[in-house]
Amino acid sequence: MSTAVACATAHPNVALAKYWGKVLAPTNLPAVPSLSMTLDSLSTTTSVGFGPGLDSDRVVINGRSATDAEARRVSSLLDQVRVAAGLRTRAWVETANDFPTGSGLASSASGFAALALAATKAAGLEWDSARVSDLARQASASAARSIFGGFVTLMAGSADTTFLAAEPLNGTDDWQVAISVVITTFQPKEVGSTQGMAHTRATSPYYDAWVEHAPSLFERARVAVLARDLDELGTVAEESAFAMHACAMGSAPPLVYFSPVTLAVIEKVRSMRRSGVPAYATMDAGPQVKVLSSAANAAQVASTLREVHGVEKVIVARPGAAASVKLVGQST
Ligand code: DP6
């Protein structure tokens, strides 16, 4: 018996209105709505084949065997695919990022988006993007957004939600904007998003205020994208990022993702703005900074940020394409 091998590519995304916090339900539902931009110049490529000869799922990430925790997360997505497709066979999965993994560069977003797409295709499921996005969301909520290109929204769930997929903001992906990804370290982050948000929810006195405030930030970001209003989008992106981090920093013990270099980059972004170059900073669960600007100013923004002491690398990204998949052969 042989089955198809599918290879998928997905791009990471940067949230401009942040998701931080989950509904208390078993299926990974975000407690707040979020809005992101998919990044064209970074990608994850993942191949999946269901092989009758395997006694367990084999997962290779960037050329090394997955840790037990990583493999469990992959297998739980594959289990859902097996149930839907009526398959009993285990799978091999090979995935590689062309950017540093686990350092706040959204590798779980592109990783689980590519995995969901490759696994469903390899299993012979003809699912539309919304269904694949819902599957990816259960593994990592930000991954739901990486199924789509350009600007993408993901609504909040509630305890009785049974299906939740991201949605593209149609007609916005030709907007001439850019995000400069400022890498301040190649070390993996210490506290991942899943763990970080559970800790915040359990211990931060600001958590309820964040959950109450986040929908208005999301709505302002959505309106700003539709109006192609860079200044408003950048302003609200900074408010969202700092509100999320303030909430996380209020946890006990505090959750601090910023390094001294993160703060130096933020200060440089502010000084560029004072000198008339509109640029806006956002940070996720790691020390990297992502800087929103017009596409026309991106080269200047990136070269200014490369000068900040401690910055390792700056990658300029434009709105990227949706995740894609193709059948590449047979697994025996
Ligand atoms: C700060 O999607 O990685 O990047 O659903 O637990 O896998 P899980 O979390 P994840 O969290 C992303 C958090 C963020 C903000 C965002 O991307 O919206």
Side-chain angles (χ1 to χ4, degrees), residues 15 19-20 22 28 73 108 140-142 145 193-194 197 284:
Y19 146 56
W20 193 254
K22 299 174 196 287
N28 200 38
R73 217 166 156 187
S108 73
S140 182
S142 56
R145 302 187 308 240
S193 313
T194 309
M197 51 182 101
D284 293 304

Side-chain angles (χ1 to χ4, degrees), residues 29-202:
L29 293 159
V32 298
S34 56
L35 180 150
S36 60
M37 185 182 111
T38 299
L39 306 181
D40 68 346
S41 50
L42 307 172
S43 56
T44 299
T45 301
T46 302
S47 298
V48 177
F50 289 88
L54 297 172
D55 53 9
S56 63
D57 294 325
R58 301 284 161 81
V59 183
V60 173
I61 303 176
N62 293 322
R64 57 152 179 96
S65 287
T67 62
D68 287 350
E70 288 168 336
R72 269 198 302 278
R73 217 166 156 187
V74 169
S75 287
S76 99
L77 186 151
L78 295 172
D79 285 344
Q80 284 176 272
V81 172
R82 278 187 278 262
V83 169
L87 280 174
R88 299 174 67 115
T89 43
R90 303 289 112 187
W92 59 265
V93 173
E94 252 181 62
T95 185
N97 297 327
D98 63 4
F99 57 92
T101 303
S103 50
L105 279 187
S107 58
S108 73
S110 50
F112 284 108
L115 178 68
L117 199 51
T120 47
K121 188 77 174 177
L125 296 170
E126 295 294 336
W127 284 9
D128 64 12
S129 299
R131 217 162 158 197
V132 178
S133 174
D134 173 68
L135 174 68
R137 189 262 309 151
Q138 294 172 60
S140 182
S142 56
R145 302 187 308 240
S146 275
I147 295 296
F148 299 100
F151 291 89
V152 181
T153 60
L154 177 65
M155 302 314 289
S158 60
D160 56 2
T161 302
T162 53
F163 180 93
L164 183 67
E167 286 175 43
L169 271 176
N170 286 326
T172 58
D173 49 358
D174 62 338
W175 190 16
Q176 299 297 307
V177 292
I179 289 183
S180 297
V181 179
V182 184
I183 299 175
T184 58
T185 175
F186 290 112
Q187 296 304 311
K189 61 192 169 192
E190 283 169 18
V191 183
S193 313
T194 309
Q195 202 189 335
M197 51 182 101
H199 179 63
T200 306
R201 184 183 206 286

